[in-house]
Every structure is written in C-alpha cells, then in structure tokens.
Amino acid sequence: MKAFDYVRAPSPAEARAAARGAGAAFIAGGTNLLDLMKLEVMAPATLVDINRLDMKTIETTDEAGMAIGALVTNSDLAVDPTIREHYPVLTKAIVAGASGQLRNKATTGGNLLQRTRCPYFYDTSQPCNKREPGTGCGAIGGFTRMHAILGGSDHCIATHPSDMAVALMALGADVEIEGESGMRRVPLDEFYRLPGDTPHIETVLEPGDLITRVILPPSPGGRQTYRKVRDRASYAFALVSVAAVVVMDGDVIDEVALSFGGLAPKPWRDFAVEDVLTAKPVTPDLFDEAADVLLANAAGAGENDFKIPLVRRTLAAALADVTGGF
Amino acid sequence: MRTDLSINGEHFSLEADPRTTLLDALRHHLHLTGTKKGCDHGQCGACTVLVNGRRINSCLTLACMHDGDAITTIEGLGVPGQLSPLQEAFVEFDGYQCGYCTPGQICSATAMLDEVKAGWPSHVTEDVNDMPKLTEAEIAERMSGNLCRCACYPNIVDAIMDVAEGGHK
C-alpha cells in the first residue's frame, strides 16, 4: 500500500475541504477502498476518514419517505424495522450481497460508490481505461463472463457490482450531496454515468462532494422481491439480478418498477420495460414482451452471452413471484 | 499515528503507520496472534474480530479508524480452562482440521448468534419481517464469509447449532 496522509474529519465542511486536494479520497467502511489500495489499483495521497460525522441515522422524511444517512451500515439499513416492513426489496437486496462481516462495516454511501470487480480493473498489469484512462480495455476480447450486455462502450464493459443500489434504483431513490454550492439532490438514475469514452468518471460527483443521505420516496407498497443469480449460493456477485416492485389490481399490473444488476455499468432501469407491463393482465407472453424491450439493444461479448437468456428467465421468475401469475 | 484501543477489556496505546490494518496491529504490534491472516482481502474471514460487539474483517480496516473502539479477539472470548460455549462446541464436534480458520469461525459465529437473537434476517429467511429460525441453511448462509479449506463445514454447523440450542453454557 502506498503511503498517504490520514485526516480524521470532525465536520462535513472540514471533510469536504480536506478532500478537495488532488488525490484525496473519503474513507467510510473502507471494505472496497482498502482492498483496492492494497493492490495499488487506488493510491490516494490523502485519506479523509468521515466515520465520525453525524450521518448514521435512518429517519422518516416530511414527504413520508425515508432519509438514510450515508454512514448507516448495510447491516443497520437491512434490519431497520421500517425498511423491512415498507421497503423489503431493499432489505432483500442488501442481505443478498457480501458477507455478514462486510455488511457490518460497509456503508450506504460507500456501497453506492464501490468500484467494479472487473478482473482487468483489479490487475495492474492489464490495460484498463477505468483505472488508467487511454490504456485500452483488457476485457474486450478477453474473459467476459461477468461483463455488461447493456450500457457498455468500446472503452469499457465493466458491470456495477452493488445489490443495494439495484433495489434503490427500483425504489426511485435520490442521492443527497453536500458540495461547493450547498446541498443538492440527484436521482440515483442520474447519479451514475455510463462509460462512453470516459469510463474512469462513474458518477456526477465533483471533487470535494460528500454524499450525506439517500432519500427514499414514500413506500410503493405492493409486493417486492429481489432475485439474484450467481455462481455460488452465497457471497458472490450477481451474474444477473432483478429488483421488482409490483402493485396489482386484481389480475392487472397497476404499478411496476424494475431494475437490474449484473447487466450494465450501473444499476439498470428502463422505463419502457415498465410501460409494457403497466395496466396489462398477467400472461407469460407479457413477461416475454417486457424482456424483448429490455434486451432490444443487448449485446454479449462472447462468454457473457448467456446473460441474455438468463435475464429473460430471471425477470419472468421475479415477475411471477410478485404478480402471483405464471 | 497514535490510536487508543480497548482490546479484550485492556487499554492499548498503539503508535503505528496509518497504513497498519487492525489485523496487523493485533498480530504484529500487540502480539495477539490468535487472529489469523488468510487472504488479507476480506474474502476468507480468518481475520474476523468483534468491534463494539459486531463482527468485521480486521484486514479491511485501518487501526487508526478505530480510536476509542472496543475490540474482542479470540483471546478475549475464552482461554484454556475457561472456554466460551462455541470454543467448547468446536472441540466437541471436531469443527476444524488444520485450525487456521477456527478463530475467525468462532468470532464470527459468536456475533452471528447475537444477530439472530436480535432478529436480523438473512438471504435465506423466508419473510424478512419474521423472527428468523436458526436452521442449517441459515447457519450456512450467515457463515458464508468464513471459508474452511479443510471443508469442516458439517461439523462447524453442528457445533454452532449445538450452542444455539443451549449446549455448552
């Protein structure tokens, strides 16, 4: 691990000031950052420890939603009684990821910002446009089993690894950010950037920006599920995952929100897929039509071609679970 | 960098480079070698300790981030002649072969049983709002962050189940 200056931030303003310098990084749980620092994939010159900041509460908002502090651990978020009762898809997604030890340390803000597990990003002897812009992409033409079928570019086909963020995307969460010009709220869907020709820029965060809270709208109710397919039964990243929230009116889908993990460089939500399903009675053909829309622009890179039929089946299984049909 | 830690109820003042992980602080600076280094990347769980009662991977956190925290290692759970219930159960059920993962398994299981008592759901819990029932599948899921390359999993599960059902008090 390269040497760094360690700063323990006593307030958000001081944390942001310390993080404005070149090569500074915030550290919260550290479960991903320290792993990457040991491998020298990341080598911040200054580490700004934000663990003492007062961002560890989960509260009800004035709009009857929830505000989750950026430092709330994945465990505390998953077991919160209100989250479990009214946003169970979030609990299910969190407990589908990582291990008990990691969830106890990893935070809400850190989970959103975790880096891809693309092996070419991790291996500093390989080219990677994300790690070292302009060096090329080792994955394209290489081993692609875990890689994206949607949203990638000629420069990067890495996937976003989070389960939690997939559920937050289906729930329509916003990210609250404290920055130079005060507080702002960004919908999670707009928070992440697709790789294009700048895969090293993953979010809309500017230097010194601090995620303070994640805001959930009022509970959508209905039936909520998170279905994850992976190479092991536990403690593995998703090949494909689906977060589904459905409100039924008899046999008809009244409201639906879907998002997908393992498919793309960000948690993937496509409103056109939801439009296909909304106000329709449940049939197997309907689930297939939804998958057709989702996969209209999907392209495998060889070893990940299997994700195309796999997500079709995983979507159908998740929809069957929450609609009660087929 | 000075860091004050409470380890197994005893106060330690650590003077170390900020790069020092909690794991290396325990083993190399405080000579508490019960906690093991396996992968050093949070994948194997051999380094599991309790921080303020919660299990974490000590390899993936810096000692300087834990100023003022209370840390429990395997040495703090029990000592020869005064073993903890899980330590006794691992002996009785032969929950190990080489023993390298065992301190991490026992620290992890100690906190895991508290998580179950507190009603925390897992990936295999049918309804996340129900009180979980500790089945074999629940133990396997909740202990998936602790690998055993000797594959002593059946006996590890038996040992944990025995303690969960009130054995070895």
Side-chain angles (χ1 to χ4, degrees):
Chain A
M1 198 186 296
K2 300 264 202 241
F4 53 82
D5 290 326
Y6 173 80
V7 180
R8 195 174 290 144
S11 71
E14 283 159 284
R16 288 192 298 103
R20 266 196 293 273
F26 292 125
I27 188 163
T31 53
N32 185 215
L33 178 57
L34 287 168
D35 186 24
L36 292 166
M37 285 171 65
K38 287 180 183 193
L39 297 164
E40 298 186 1
V41 172
M42 292 180 76
T46 307
L47 215 47
V48 183
D49 183 349
I50 57 171
N51 283 294
R52 310 281 154 154
L53 303 187
D54 183 19
M55 304 193 299
K56 294 177 185 160
T57 56
I58 305 173
E59 292 165 335
T60 308
T61 63
D62 293 343
E63 298 85 40
M66 302 290 286
I68 303 154
L71 291 174
V72 171
T73 66
N74 289 178
S75 291
D76 283 326
L77 181 54
V79 308
D80 181 85
T82 310
I83 297 293
R84 281 156 70 172
E85 190 179 346
H86 297 290
Y87 305 88
V89 67
L90 182 53
T91 294
K92 290 176 189 182
I94 293 171
V95 298
S99 66
Q101 289 97 316
L102 290 169
R103 292 191 296 267
N104 279 343
K105 201 83 180 78
T107 63
T108 305
N111 187 313
L112 292 179
L113 293 177
Q114 66 178 304
R115 310 299 302 275
T116 185
R117 273 18 178 234
C118 173
Y120 298 93
F121 174 71
Y122 262 74
D123 183 346
T124 53
S125 72
Q126 294 288 325
C128 174
N129 288 322
K130 193 184 275 300
R131 173 169 33 76
E132 225 176 309
T135 55
C137 173
I140 295 172
F143 294 101
T144 58
R145 178 171 170 75
M146 298 300 289
H147 289 80
I149 58 167
L150 287 166
S153 73
D154 292 343
H155 303 271
C156 182
I157 54 169
T159 49
H160 196 272
S162 175
D163 292 296
M164 182 195 82
V166 177
L168 290 176
M169 193 76 97
L171 291 167
D174 284 350
V175 183
E176 184 189 76
I177 301 160
E178 185 177 323
E180 200 73 359
S181 50
M183 298 290 244
R184 65 189 197 276
R185 263 169 77 162
V186 179
L188 187 58
D189 202 21
E190 294 166 26
F191 176 77
Y192 291 112
R193 291 172 42 139
L194 287 176
D197 56 4
T198 53
H200 58 292
I201 305 173
E202 297 174 349
T203 68
V204 298
L205 292 176
E206 300 287 343
D209 274 354
L210 178 68
I211 297 176
T212 49
R213 302 191 296 178
V214 170
I215 315 284
L216 292 175
S219 166
R223 295 189 63 176
Q224 306 182 13
T225 196
Y226 186 74
R227 194 173 182 101
K228 177 174 178 179
V229 182
R230 44 186 159 172
D231 281 331
R232 289 191 299 262
S234 183
Y235 201 13
F237 290 99
L239 294 165
V240 162
S241 71
V242 180
V245 179
V246 166
V247 179
M248 296 296 288
D249 180 7
D251 292 338
V252 174
I253 297 174
D254 193 32
E255 285 172 46
V256 57
L258 297 168
S259 69
F260 301 85
L263 300 189
K266 65 178 213 175
W268 195 257
R269 186 167 180 183
D270 182 343
F271 290 98
V273 178
E274 297 167 22
D275 290 344
V276 171
L277 294 162
T278 306
K280 304 269 176 60
V282 172
T283 64
D285 286 349
L286 182 69
F287 296 170
D288 250 351
E289 278 172 50
D292 289 341
V293 171
L294 172 71
L295 294 165
N297 296 313
E303 284 164 325
N304 64 349
D305 290 353
F306 73 92
K307 287 189 178 183
I308 294 173
L310 181 60
V311 71
R312 183 177 285 279
R313 293 174 192 148
T314 310
L315 173 61
L319 284 172
D321 186 15
V322 287
T323 61
F326 305 99
Chain B
M1 177 97 212
R2 191 190 134 128
T3 306
D4 287 300
L5 301 166
S6 161
I7 299 176
N8 303 328
E10 231 181 294
H11 175 260
F12 284 91
S13 194
L14 174 76
E15 191 62 49
D17 187 292
R19 283 175 285 185
T20 311
T21 61
L22 180 58
L23 172 61
D24 286 344
L26 292 169
R27 290 183 56 85
H28 299 159
H29 292 259
L30 308 171
H31 308 293
L32 289 165
T33 53
T35 307
K36 296 294 186 274
K37 182 182 282 192
C39 69
D40 208 25
H41 287 278
Q43 297 172 4
C44 76
C47 69
T48 303
V49 300
L50 313 186
V51 174
N52 304 328
R54 291 207 174 169
R55 53 178 172 159
I56 67 161
N57 300 111
S58 62
C59 74
L60 281 188
T61 193
L62 299 172
C64 60
M65 291 161 65
H66 292 282
D67 192 60
D69 282 347
I71 290 140
T72 307
T73 68
I74 190 71
E75 291 93 339
L77 290 181
V79 290
Q82 261 188 303
L83 297 180
S84 80
L86 275 162
Q87 287 173 321
E88 277 184 10
F90 269 64
V91 173
E92 184 191 329
F93 288 89
D94 203 15
Y96 44 79
Q97 185 174 311
C98 81
Y100 196 81
C101 73
T102 312
Q105 298 278 2
I106 291 177
C107 283
S108 186
T110 300
M112 183 275 282
L113 291 177
D114 287 341
E115 293 168 7
V116 173
K117 274 192 206 126
W120 289 19
S122 85
H123 174 61
V124 299
T125 308
E126 194 68 37
D127 182 335
V128 296
N129 287 295
D130 283 351
M131 194 68 192
K133 194 176 170 298
L134 200 65
T135 58
E136 281 186 21
E138 283 278 5
I139 293 174
E141 165 60 28
R142 290 167 189 270
M143 293 296 291
S144 70
N146 291 87
L147 307 187
C148 173
R149 296 306 302 270
C150 307
C152 297
Y153 299 112
N155 294 359
I156 291 171
V157 171
D158 286 350
I160 294 172
M161 188 67 94
D162 182 69
V163 172
E165 287 172 349
H168 294 284
K169 275 199 176 135

